[in-house]
Amino acid sequence: MLQRFIGAAVMAATVAVAAPAVAHHAMQAEFDQNNVVVISGTLKKVNWVNPHVNFLIDVPNPDGTSTTWTLVHAGPNQMRAAGLSDRDFFKVGGKYTASLALARNGSPRGYVFTIKTPDEKFIYLTFGNVGSDPLNKDGKGGLGNGHPIAFQN
């Protein structure tokens, strides 16, 4: 009986430790860093969830409809560490522009590199982390992956 209990406990511990490793993925596998676009739209919602914060933006289509895009980046802890966790920082209903690597599966999702806020602030993010200067206080600008992006007004 004790052997069965120990065996079950070891099995449960193995599954519990292995599940997060299997569930997590490389961002490069889901998003194409060489297919970067710029989108603009209205911020619908910010989901401060693990493993990645999600920004939902309604982007107008030429036919008058809109598509909700999901922009993915770092986790909440990384955003907080970079000083971007103030719930009032991202304003729902405001117009945002973002550069992002498109999802490989063609869905309206992207890994966000740069965000332009309604008050014309630029937030520079890098592939894989938030970076040490997301608000570009040092004036260097640019994207972490080396792909320059021109924002359209």
Side-chain angles (χ1 to χ4, degrees), residues 1 26 37 82 95 128 142 148:
M1 180 73 169
V37 299
K95 183 173 174 154

Side-chain angles (χ1 to χ4, degrees), residues 71-141:
L71 282 55
V72 178
H73 193 64
N77 288 337
Q78 287 178 297
M79 298 292 274
R80 278 188 210 101
L84 300 175
S85 65
D86 184 354
R87 300 282 178 177
D88 296 329
F89 189 86
F90 296 103
K91 307 264 189 239
V92 171
K95 183 173 174 154
Y96 288 80
T97 300
S99 65
L100 51 117
L102 292 176
R104 293 183 185 276
N105 67 6
S107 66
R109 286 175 54 82
Y111 191 88
V112 64
F113 293 122
T114 310
I115 299 172
K116 180 179 169 185
T117 65
D119 60 352
E120 303 292 313
K121 289 181 184 168
F122 286 85
I123 303 168
Y124 296 93
L125 306 169
T126 59
F127 206 84
N129 63 36
V130 175
S132 61
D133 188 26
L135 294 176
N136 192 32
K137 293 178 196 130
D138 66 8
K140 293 178 184 173

Side-chain angles (χ1 to χ4, degrees), residues 46-54 73-77 80 87:
V46 180
N47 293 319
W48 291 93
V49 296
N50 279 317
H52 304 283
V53 172
N54 294 279
H73 193 64
N77 288 337
R80 278 188 210 101
R87 300 282 178 177

